[in-house]
């Protein structure tokens, strides 16, 4: 994922994560934006280049533009791969992209030696 795409994605992450925390009653609406941004910056201090995190802008050569996003990171001393986020942009849904993105996550898990 390039830096421009990451900045746009981070904006989406901060907004959605804050909204989830407000809906769950964990954070107030007043504090949610700042707290969400702080948590995202803690998880990804170097943006898309943060060590141990793999962020992908998923593309299909047969269509123009990005079809989705995948964010994964090894856990349990590398024995498993945690999926932080899978997004298929709305106009590309119901075309098999989610399945393909999950296959890409499985490929990354194998590449990193993660069994699950």
């Amino acid at each position: 994922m390039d830096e421009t795409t990451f900045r746009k994605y981070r904006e989406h992450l901060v907004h959605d994560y804050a909204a989830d925390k407000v809906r769950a009653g964990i954070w107030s609406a007043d504090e949610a934006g700042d707290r969400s941004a702080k948590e995202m910056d803690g998880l990804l201090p170097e943006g898309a280049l943060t060590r141990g995190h793999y962020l992908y802008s998923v593309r299909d050569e047969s269509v123009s533009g990005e079809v989705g996003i995948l964010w994964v990171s090894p856990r349990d001393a590398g024995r498993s791969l945690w999926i932080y986020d899978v997004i298929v942009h709305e106009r590309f849904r119901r075309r098999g992209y989610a399945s393909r993105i999950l296959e890409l996550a499985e490929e990354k898990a194998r590449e990193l030696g993660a069994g699950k």
Side-chain angles (χ1 to χ4, degrees):
M1 180 179 291
D2 64 33
E3 186 61 30
T4 301
T5 303
F6 175 75
R7 276 184 264 138
K8 183 178 176 184
Y9 174 58
R10 183 192 172 280
E11 196 175 297
H12 161 81
L13 274 175
V14 168
H15 177 268
D16 282 3
Y17 188 60
D20 286 347
K21 293 292 188 175
V22 170
R23 267 192 306 275
I26 297 168
W27 295 341
S28 72
D30 292 338
E31 69 181 333
D34 288 340
R35 287 185 73 172
S36 179
K38 190 173 185 175
E39 285 199 24
M40 289 306 122
D41 291 343
L43 274 172
L44 298 167
E46 302 298 321
L49 301 177
T50 300
R51 183 180 167 104
H53 289 264
Y54 301 91
L55 291 99
Y56 298 97
S57 172
V58 180
R59 298 183 178 277
D60 178 344
E61 293 176 6
S62 69
V63 298
S64 64
E66 179 184 86
V67 298
I69 291 174
L70 173 65
W71 172 17
V72 296
S73 180
R75 291 288 176 262
D76 306 319
R79 291 187 303 267
S80 62
L81 189 72
W82 180 262
I83 299 173
Y84 275 95
D85 206 2
V86 174
I87 297 173
V88 175
H89 300 308
E90 193 167 340
R91 70 185 187 138
F92 297 108
R93 292 182 185 161
R94 301 193 133 339
R95 296 186 194 176
Y97 287 113
S99 296
R100 182 62 184 128
I101 291 171
L102 291 174
E103 288 172 4
L104 294 171
E106 289 175 348
E107 289 173 19
K108 188 62 176 180
R110 282 191 294 278
E111 175 188 319
L112 295 171
K116 57 182 181 174

